[in-house]
Amino acid sequence: MLRVTICSAVLFHVCLLSCEYNGGSLDSNISSMAVQKQYFTLNTGQKMPMVGLGTYRIHGQSVIHRVIEAGLKAGYRAFDTAAVYRNEEAIGLALKTLLPKFSLSREDIFLTTKLDPGDHGVGTTTKAVKSSLKKLGTSYVDLYLVHWPGVSRLPVYSPDNAIIRSDTWRELVTLHRQGLLRAIGISNYTVQHLKELIENSHGVIPAVNQVEYHPHYKQPELLKFCQDRGILLQAYCSLGGSSDRRLLEDATVGAVAKKLDRSPAQVLLCWALQQGIGVIPKSVSPDHISDNIKLDFIISESDMVTLNSIPVVEKYAWDPTPVL
């Protein structure tokens, strides 16, 4: 079951559709609360902030320190990283210094990291998890994701991908039950990958599926599949590619942004939230980091339809579809 505690903008849109959400209910006494204080309740019972700070391609201790500091100052309480980002240690050091500065403790933040595709399998998964914990300077992570359904150095069409990722999931379930991983999930899983996992879940359904999702690459079938099963869909690439501004400069997005007196980035992020999708925007600019969590506004139903009707289909990141 996925319960959602959600901002007034999201409440407005979702309640147009239903008074219930994925078998749970929406809290309705939160209209005056900022997005910084809103969260999803995962199928583990954990509360995960609706908006997290992404750190893909952000490197260097001083840069990471400035980004985390700007995030904490703006109100972010969730931070997303991965073993392949090669910045876990820098993030751990920054948090160790900065949390006391903001009168926060480890329990006040939600930390996500992910398995390197080269570390799939029996034994290597556990080693990878413990390596990430050590680098991050924490005894647990709030959410640990299988970053990719395929295994490094295996062809995408190899049936061994499915066998090995099942072994990986079984090992993560053990670590989850030991308390090292408060929640476990996946990233870049298609409906087919999810069906296979759920059939052999070793007793634990994923809490989150983190995928590319934005008006240029909508995945309604995947969204419905996840929501029907209490799996939170969390979006990356919400603003398009790292060096590709086509989504941010989309004329339809720009028109809605102008109408609402908001930035295109804010419109794109709120578009996701109003569908019950988490977001993890990234930036090294303190101003952008701050703006990306100022999402206490409503995109009208008609403007949501307009954004959902953008005909462009463009994927800005990796395509997991070919992976068996």
Side-chain angles (χ1 to χ4, degrees):
M1 300 276 281
L2 174 66
R3 286 178 55 81
V4 183
T5 301
I6 206 160
C7 71
S8 56
V10 186
L11 180 65
F12 172 86
H13 181 70
V14 175
C15 281
L16 289 173
L17 306 177
S18 172
C19 291
E20 293 188 347
Y21 188 76
N22 301 329
S25 62
L26 287 164
D27 291 342
S28 59
N29 58 347
I30 47 163
S31 59
S32 64
M33 293 177 67
V35 167
Q36 291 94 322
K37 297 183 183 298
Q38 301 312 307
Y39 55 83
F40 297 103
T41 301
L42 303 180
N43 60 20
T44 59
Q46 289 169 280
K47 294 174 180 174
M48 186 180 86
M50 291 169 52
V51 182
L53 186 62
T55 62
Y56 176 55
R57 289 187 174 176
I58 301 177
H59 299 104
Q61 187 62 57
S62 60
V63 175
I64 290 286
H65 187 97
R66 289 197 301 271
V67 166
I68 299 296
E69 184 171 28
L72 290 169
K73 183 178 180 181
Y76 289 83
R77 295 297 180 263
F79 300 90
D80 180 274
T81 183
V84 296
Y85 298 173
R86 304 293 185 257
N87 60 13
E88 290 174 311
E89 189 169 5
I91 289 171
L93 290 171
L95 288 171
K96 183 178 180 180
T97 301
L98 291 168
L99 288 179
K101 178 179 178 179
F102 287 88
S103 299
L104 297 170
S105 67
R106 169 66 182 90
E107 291 71 28
D108 295 318
I109 62 167
F110 192 100
L111 199 54
T112 300
T113 192
K114 311 177 192 77
L115 180 75
D116 186 319
D119 290 327
H120 270 286
V122 178
T124 51
T125 295
T126 295
K127 289 179 182 178
V129 168
K130 291 182 177 179
S131 174
S132 287
L133 292 175
K134 182 177 180 180
K135 289 175 180 177
L136 289 165
T138 181
S139 60
Y140 70 94
V141 290
D142 300 278
L143 176 64
Y144 192 87
L145 304 178
V146 178
H147 205 159
W148 184 252
V151 180
S152 291
R153 297 178 293 279
L154 268 185
V156 294
Y157 51 80
S158 172
D160 287 343
N161 283 299
I163 296 169
I164 295 172
R165 68 172 172 262
S166 180
D167 291 338
T168 295
W169 187 255
R170 183 176 66 248
E171 208 151 292
L172 291 180
V173 167
T174 297
L175 296 168
H176 167 60
R177 288 173 173 155
Q178 290 173 354
L180 299 180
L181 312 174
R182 297 287 174 86
I184 53 177
I186 65 278
S187 180
N188 297 299
Y189 271 44
T190 64
V191 169
Q192 183 57 41
H193 296 140
L194 280 167
K195 285 180 178 178
E196 292 173 1
L197 190 159
I198 290 169
E199 286 175 3
N200 191 22
S201 68
H202 305 289
V204 178
I205 299 297
V208 173
N209 186 18
Q210 188 184 108
V211 300
E212 181 173 356
Y213 205 105
H214 47 72
H216 281 182
Y217 195 74
K218 301 175 283 289
Q219 302 189 69
E221 180 189 3
L222 179 63
L223 176 61
K224 185 178 188 305
F225 184 92
C226 289
Q227 291 183 338
D228 285 349
R229 289 158 181 81
I231 302 169
L232 175 70
L233 200 74
Q234 187 179 51
Y236 68 77
C237 283
S238 293
L239 310 182
S242 296
S243 56
D244 191 323
R245 295 188 57 83
R246 282 177 291 174
L247 179 56
L248 283 168
E249 294 175 357
D250 183 286
T252 302
V253 175
V256 173
K258 183 177 180 180
K259 179 179 178 180
L260 295 172
D261 194 24
R262 299 285 178 162
S263 71
Q266 289 172 320
V267 166
L268 290 167
L269 294 168
C270 199
W271 171 86
L273 294 183
Q274 287 189 204
Q275 298 175 78
I277 300 169
V279 292
I280 45 168
K282 68 183 182 70
S283 178
V284 296
S285 162
D287 288 341
H288 289 164
I289 288 170
S290 178
D291 287 345
N292 286 344
I293 203 169
K294 293 176 180 176
L295 304 175
D296 299 306
F297 64 96
I298 294 168
I299 301 175
S300 70
E301 186 178 16
S302 62
D303 284 336
M304 286 292 289
V305 170
T306 297
L307 292 168
N308 284 329
S309 300
I310 293 174
V312 176
V313 178
E314 188 67 49
K315 199 173 194 315
Y316 296 105
W318 317 270
D319 185 4
T321 306
V323 180
L324 290 182

